[in-house]
Amino acid sequence: MTRTPDAAAQQPPHALDPALRARLVAAVGDAHVLTDPDVTASYGEDWSRRFRGPVLAVVRPASTDEVAAVVAACVAARVPVLPQGGNTGLVGGSVPSHDGPACVVLSTRRLTRLDDVDKAAGQVTVGAGVTLAALHEHARAAGWAYGVDLAARDSATIGGTIGTNAGGIRVCCYGMTRRQVLGVEAVLPDGSVVSHLSGFAKDNTGYDIAGLMVGSEGTLGVVTAARLVLHRP
């Protein structure tokens, strides 16, 4: 007697579970849950073209609440989540491992919050998906400068530079990214949100969440926004 395979067995390799897809669509909208391999391929390969890995889907949230909903859905389904910014890295850190499980790539490119520059404090709050180039232009228009710059400025995102503690070409003058970050908003692995964007220079109100998140490569949470220090040019 021939056994009829169940629905899961008939799914192609690295297929997104329909129940998880439904939750992701409910969180961000159908247009922002990408599963076509021809579309998702570029998200699974870094800029050097040396590193690539399997992608179940690419999800593009536009707010912190949407990021939290995506993370919570993936955790409930026991599916790995990989935060990704501009995907300009050269060492494979922004893409899935070639020998690891297929994952959901959480693209932060739609997190484009860009608040007015606080000219008195020399600070600004920006979304993780804002590019370095956009931030430089925004700060320059207000008479200020941002301390981190690098060749991939038109594609590299603030969230990505925070995740990697990027240095760039101004590091001798202004320091690494860690020195530019006063506070962060982030979604933790359980889907909860921590927000600390006050920008107070003197702050001893608990854990240094920003200091922990900078350079953590997305292992502690997904940074969705940051309060940044600006400099006089």
Side-chain angles (χ1 to χ4, degrees), residues 99-124:
D99 57 356
C103 67
V104 168
V105 172
L106 192 158
S107 173
T108 63
R109 297 181 197 179
R110 295 180 67 223
L111 300 173
T112 53
R113 171 183 178 180
L114 194 56
D115 289 6
D116 292 339
V117 171
D118 183 337
K119 297 181 180 179
Q123 300 175 11
V124 66

Side-chain angles (χ1 to χ4, degrees), residues 148-173:
V148 176
D149 192 19
L150 40 86
R153 64 184 68 85
D154 291 317
S155 302
T157 61
I158 297 304
T161 59
I162 289 173
T164 59
N165 189 28
I169 60 177
R170 298 177 176 177
V171 69
C172 290
C173 183

Side-chain angles (χ1 to χ4, degrees), residues 117-123 139-147 170 173-174 180 229-233:
V117 171
D118 183 337
K119 297 181 180 179
Q123 300 175 11
R140 189 181 304 115
W144 292 84
Y146 181 57
R170 298 177 176 177
C173 183
Y174 299 118
Q180 325 303 321
V229 175
L230 301 177
H231 306 272
R232 287 296 185 187

Side-chain angles (χ1 to χ4, degrees), residues 1-221:
M1 181 177 177
T2 303
R3 181 177 181 271
T4 302
D6 57 26
Q10 296 182 54
Q11 291 182 2
H14 309 315
L16 184 65
D17 178 73
L20 175 56
R21 189 184 192 285
R23 289 193 63 179
L24 297 176
V25 168
V28 303
D30 186 67
H32 300 293
V33 179
L34 312 178
T35 56
D36 183 341
D38 291 335
V39 177
T40 62
S42 63
Y43 293 85
E45 182 177 66
D46 85 342
W47 193 88
S48 73
R49 306 295 184 264
R50 293 181 299 151
F51 303 97
R52 61 185 60 83
V55 176
L56 277 176
V58 176
V59 184
R60 304 185 299 185
S63 68
T64 298
D65 287 343
E66 290 186 3
V67 173
V70 169
V71 171
C74 291
V75 168
R78 301 183 65 84
V79 171
V81 179
L82 180 86
Q84 186 183 93
N87 197 17
T88 60
L90 302 174
V91 294
S94 59
V95 297
S97 172
H98 71 93
D99 57 356
C103 67
V104 168
V105 172
L106 192 158
S107 173
T108 63
R109 297 181 197 179
R110 295 180 67 223
L111 300 173
T112 53
R113 171 183 178 180
L114 194 56
D115 289 6
D116 292 339
V117 171
D118 183 337
K119 297 181 180 179
Q123 300 175 11
V124 66
T125 298
V126 304
V130 173
T131 64
L132 272 175
L135 175 56
H136 284 307
E137 182 178 351
H138 185 62
R140 189 181 304 115
W144 292 84
Y146 181 57
V148 176
D149 192 19
L150 40 86
R153 64 184 68 85
D154 291 317
S155 302
T157 61
I158 297 304
T161 59
I162 289 173
T164 59
N165 189 28
I169 60 177
R170 298 177 176 177
V171 69
C172 290
C173 183
Y174 299 118
M176 305 284 280
T177 294
R178 180 172 281 110
R179 286 183 56 186
Q180 325 303 321
V181 181
L182 284 175
V184 297
E185 182 176 75
V187 175
L188 301 181
D190 63 352
S192 61
V193 177
V194 58
S195 184
H196 198 75
L197 298 171
S198 63
F200 292 134
K202 183 179 180 181
D203 188 346
N204 59 358
T205 56
Y207 292 111
D208 180 8
I209 302 299
L212 290 169
M213 287 292 177
V214 177
S216 65
E217 301 274 3
T219 59
L220 300 179

